[in-house]
Amino acid sequence: EMRYLGILKFYNPRNGYGYITVDPRFVTDDGENSVPSELRVERSEVNAGGQNPGAMQDVEVEFGIWKTSRDVPKAYNVTLPGGVPLPQAVPEA
C-alpha cells in the first residue's frame, strides 16, 4: 500500500473535515495514477487512535489515497509520519 507525505493545512472537528497539501515529490498528472496537490480528508479517515481527532493546523502527516465512485481522490488513514496516531480532541470542561 502506497503511503504519501504532506501537510495537514487544517482539520476542523466541528465540521468534520480538513485539507492536506501533498508533498510536491508525490504530485503527478499521470492519468489514472495522478496525485493532486491537495486532498480533502473526512473525520472517519483521521487516525486518532480510535478517539475523535482534535483541531489541527500545519501538521506533517502520512496517508493513503483512494478514489470515490465519482473518481475524486481523498486521503485515508491519515497519521503522523511513521503511522503514529494524530492528537485526540481534548474533552471540553
Side-chain angles (χ1 to χ4, degrees), residues 2 5 19 35 71:
M2 179 70 183
L5 296 173
Y19 281 91
V35 176
D71 219 29

Side-chain angles (χ1 to χ4, degrees), residues 15 27-31 34 39 43 45 48 66 91:
N15 295 337
V27 176
T28 174
D29 194 16
D30 184 18
S34 65
L39 289 167
R43 173 182 289 126
E45 296 301 343
W66 70 285

Side-chain angles (χ1 to χ4, degrees), residues 8 10-12 16-20 39-43 46:
L8 181 62
F10 75 89
Y11 175 78
N12 183 325
Y17 71 90
Y19 281 91
I20 294 171
L39 289 167
R40 181 176 166 123
V41 60
E42 310 291 335
R43 173 182 289 126
V46 177

Side-chain angles (χ1 to χ4, degrees), residues 12-90:
N12 183 325
R14 187 163 287 153
N15 295 337
Y17 71 90
Y19 281 91
I20 294 171
T21 300
V22 179
D23 185 310
R25 294 175 294 178
F26 295 104
V27 176
T28 174
D29 194 16
D30 184 18
E32 204 172 292
N33 298 318
S34 65
V35 176
S37 59
E38 189 172 276
L39 289 167
R40 181 176 166 123
V41 60
E42 310 291 335
R43 173 182 289 126
S44 60
E45 296 301 343
V46 177
N47 183 336
Q51 303 298 312
N52 285 325
M56 292 172 270
Q57 192 170 345
D58 298 327
V59 178
E60 193 173 341
V61 291
E62 180 182 297
F63 53 93
I65 297 176
W66 70 285
K67 290 191 177 175
T68 68
S69 59
R70 293 190 174 152
D71 219 29
V72 177
K74 292 193 176 186
Y76 74 90
N77 192 18
V78 179
T79 65
L80 293 172
V84 177
L86 285 155
Q88 301 170 3
V90 176

